[in-house]
Amino acid sequence: MKRKIITSMMIFGISSSLYAGEFGLELGAQRIEVGGSVQYKGTKIDLKNDLKLDDTKTSIKPTLTYTTDSKKHKFFLNYEKSNYDKSSVITRSITFNNKVYTIGANVNTKLKTQWYQLGYRYNFEPLVDNKLNIDAGIDLNIIDLQTSLVTTGINESYDVTAPLPTLALDLKYDIVDDFALEVKGAFMTLGSYGDYSEYYAGLNVGIPSVKNLSLKAGYMSKNLNIESDSNEKLELDYSGAYVGLAYKF
């Protein structure tokens, strides 16, 4: 009986602590232009020059946040994906997974990327007359990539899932009430699987007519470098304009 009472008190305490904190939801969208190269048991293949992956895609990015009652600790989780599917006539011979795609071949390229990000931030005491807020922490980025090249008689693919933890730093400067400049960066990848960096700079504008609602707009860049060995390399860049609508409750 005593054990049940203690367990109930612990559950109640945790529930009360969570309730006392603040949840948030941000619905964002990025216009992504992909660049870089892929090499898998063969030629280093440029995504734009060789495969003509030069389209701009819209990627939806929902983010769920939880901030403790003290405002010192924030946790968040988000998900994002992008899909490219393009056919083009290659102007040079390339080798992918030991298969040769000859010059003049019509190659259908598919590139699917999924990001899962779990993060933590610690909020330091504000500076510059309480206008500058600094958060630092760590992100766990799990990136799932699927690449395939298809032409007549050849259908080859390269899939990889990469866990890439990074250190992160967020800055927010309140220019005036309900109008702030935000700069965010994730860098210094921990571990040896590869390198990942993410940068964002933009504005955060509060909407006075709706409490706790704000509009964000800026530019975001995500850079990925994975090298399994000397003949298996991914160097990718996903960059473009970002807009988001954030609400705290």
Side-chain angles (χ1 to χ4, degrees):
M1 183 68 180
K2 183 178 180 181
R3 182 178 298 176
K4 290 183 178 180
I5 294 174
I6 293 175
T7 302
S8 300
M9 292 177 64
M10 290 176 64
I11 293 173
F12 177 78
I14 293 172
S15 301
S16 299
S17 298
L18 287 173
Y19 184 78
E22 181 180 71
F23 287 93
L25 178 64
E26 181 175 334
L27 295 178
Q30 184 183 5
R31 291 288 288 168
I32 291 179
E33 182 177 340
V34 68
S37 63
V38 57
Q39 181 178 359
Y40 181 53
K41 298 179 182 179
T43 313
K44 182 177 181 180
I45 304 169
D46 189 280
L47 297 182
K48 289 187 176 180
N49 295 331
D50 293 322
L51 303 177
K52 310 305 179 187
L53 289 187
D54 49 12
D55 297 341
T56 302
K57 302 289 185 178
T58 299
S59 175
I60 305 300
K61 183 179 182 179
T63 302
L64 179 66
T65 65
Y66 172 74
T67 305
T68 60
D69 190 42
S70 65
K71 307 298 183 184
K72 285 294 185 182
H73 307 281
K74 182 173 76 172
F75 305 87
F76 66 87
L77 173 67
N78 63 49
Y79 170 76
E80 185 178 5
K81 69 176 180 179
S82 71
N83 290 296
Y84 284 84
D85 187 340
K86 180 113 181 235
S87 293
S88 64
V89 176
I90 58 175
T91 57
R92 69 175 181 124
S93 294
I94 59 176
T95 302
F96 183 74
N97 197 17
N98 296 321
K99 297 295 191 300
V100 178
Y101 298 71
T102 58
I103 185 171
N106 190 343
V107 178
N108 176 254
T109 304
K110 293 183 180 180
L111 174 65
K112 180 179 180 180
T113 312
Q114 296 184 91
W115 293 267
Y116 303 86
Q117 189 178 67
L118 178 65
Y120 164 76
R121 296 291 185 275
Y122 176 81
N123 178 249
F124 295 92
E125 291 297 324
L127 303 172
V128 193
D129 297 327
N130 293 327
K131 292 184 176 182
L132 177 62
N133 289 280
I134 302 174
D135 294 353
I138 188 170
D139 294 340
L140 174 59
N141 309 280
I142 300 176
I143 301 171
D144 182 68
L145 285 147
Q146 301 174 24
T147 309
S148 67
L149 274 65
V150 180
T151 191
T152 304
I154 305 176
N155 186 345
E156 296 297 327
S157 62
Y158 175 40
D159 301 342
V160 60
T161 299
L164 300 168
T166 56
L167 299 181
L169 182 67
D170 301 347
L171 304 176
K172 182 180 179 182
Y173 184 79
D174 296 318
I175 300 172
V176 294
D177 289 343
D178 295 323
F179 192 82
L181 172 66
E182 292 184 327
V183 178
K184 301 180 180 181
F187 48 90
M188 197 179 295
T189 307
L190 307 174
S192 58
Y193 203 95
D195 291 314
Y196 179 77
S197 61
E198 181 176 324
Y199 302 98
Y200 170 80
L203 297 174
N204 185 325
V205 182
I207 300 175
S209 58
V210 182
K211 185 179 179 181
N212 295 329
L213 183 66
S214 63
L215 176 66
K216 298 184 178 184
Y219 185 85
M220 181 181 292
S221 176
K222 298 183 283 286
N223 301 280
L224 174 66
N225 190 324
I226 297 175
E227 183 174 348
S228 301
D229 60 40
S230 60
N231 205 23
E232 296 182 15
K233 299 178 183 178
L234 283 168
E235 297 176 358
L236 301 175
D237 170 74
Y238 305 81
S239 301
Y242 174 87
V243 294
L245 197 62
Y247 182 70
K248 297 177 181 179
F249 52 92

